[in-house]
Amino acid sequence: MPEALHNGTDSSTRQYDVIVVGLGTAGAIAALAAARQGARVLALERNTYPGGTQSGGGIRGYYGGRPPYGLTAEVEELVSEYAAKHGLGINVEARKFVLERLLLTAGVEIVYAAVVYELLQEESCVRGVRWREASGCHSAIAGVVVDATAEGTLALLAGCKVESGRQSDGLYN
């Protein structure tokens, strides 16, 4: 481990291949794809469920109205099947259950109610994160760290310029 990074971590720092922060629509698919390719994946989510606004807010559909494909289509099909089997009209709870089951089956380690508060960096590269959860503060490092937060939290912590919303009206896409 490089000295600069080692100084910012302790012996309890966990190591992964991929850390995904934000387990919403994009983050859940990123974590699932990485795990299915054999990566050891840690997923940190500030909510208590996966799926973001599609699960917690009941927002249906995808940006640009494009039909789902790839892993997203697989998830949609499984959610529809689960909802139909259990008599669920709106599939908000079905989405939470199906996504979590897929992620855990693929070997993703999920930490809910996790608030990332610091990046572990080596020069200008993000190598890990520190977060707080019910059991206390923790840290992890990985070869790949994915910012799948809705607000660009990791980008902000790294000091990157972040724009919010469309230029035309300032609303989110």
Side-chain angles (χ1 to χ4, degrees), residues 68-127:
Y69 55 91
L71 285 177
T72 304
E74 177 186 333
V75 169
E76 286 301 315
E77 183 177 332
L78 291 170
V79 168
S80 293
E81 288 172 7
Y82 184 88
K85 181 179 178 181
H86 293 87
L88 303 172
I90 298 176
N91 58 18
V92 172
E93 293 304 316
R95 179 173 303 285
K96 292 175 186 176
F97 177 82
V98 167
L99 278 173
E100 184 174 80
R101 184 178 62 194
L102 286 170
L103 291 162
L104 293 174
T105 299
V108 175
E109 181 180 332
I110 303 171
V111 179
Y112 292 120
V115 178
V116 174
Y117 64 88
E118 184 179 357
L119 298 179
L120 300 175
Q121 293 180 264
E122 180 182 354
E123 297 179 14
S124 63
C125 294
V126 175
R127 300 293 185 207

Side-chain angles (χ1 to χ4, degrees), residues 1 7 17-19 22 32-33 38 56 58 62 69 82 91 115 118 125 134 145 169:
M1 184 180 305
N7 287 339
D17 299 311
V18 178
I19 298 170
L32 181 59
Y62 294 90
Y69 55 91
Y82 184 88
N91 58 18
V115 178
E118 184 179 357
C125 294
V145 179
D169 59 10

Side-chain angles (χ1 to χ4, degrees), residues 5-20:
L5 183 59
H6 180 70
N7 287 339
T9 63
D10 59 41
S11 61
S12 65
T13 298
R14 297 184 252 171
Q15 294 187 8
Y16 297 86
D17 299 311
V18 178
I19 298 170
V20 177

